[in-house]
Amino acid sequence: MSRSSQVSRRQFVKSTLASTAAVTGGVLLGAPAVHAAPKTDQPLIVGEGAYQYEVQHNFPQLPSEYSWQITHNVAVDSAVLLYVIHAGRED
């Protein structure tokens, strides 16, 4: 294949995503449906059975001199401490 007839990775991904969206009506295969919950003062509980959790939208908070960027990993240790690895910068 000659260099002039090759498709760049960016062009390939863009055309593949556009084709997939057209075929699936904008819903990617295997992606869960997202539903907006109505505004309420009641706590939002997600999950089923023994695996139910309350959503806390303002958790966790960074020190004021930092802002959230791209999150790479989230882990919880045996002491139930939460670790978030992300690309951040001082504001």
Side-chain angles (χ1 to χ4, degrees):
M1 180 179 275
S2 71
R3 183 79 172 141
S4 62
S5 63
Q6 289 182 344
V7 175
S8 74
R9 184 180 309 178
R10 185 178 304 246
Q11 290 168 324
F12 173 78
V13 170
K14 185 177 178 181
S15 64
T16 301
L17 287 175
S19 299
T20 302
V23 169
T24 63
V27 178
L28 294 178
L29 300 176
V34 176
H35 302 283
K39 178 79 171 150
T40 177
D41 291 332
Q42 299 298 315
L44 176 59
I45 308 296
V46 297
E48 296 180 13
Y51 301 101
Q52 292 188 356
Y53 305 92
E54 181 180 341
V55 175
Q56 296 181 4
H57 292 285
N58 294 323
F59 175 83
Q61 294 293 309
L62 289 175
S64 61
E65 66 269 18
Y66 295 98
S67 62
W68 287 107
Q69 303 298 314
I70 299 170
T71 300
H72 298 284
N73 198 1
V74 177
V76 178
D77 68 8
S78 60
V80 195
L81 295 174
L82 179 70
Y83 297 88
V84 178
I85 299 172
H86 72 98
R89 64 179 181 271
E90 287 189 58
D91 287 337

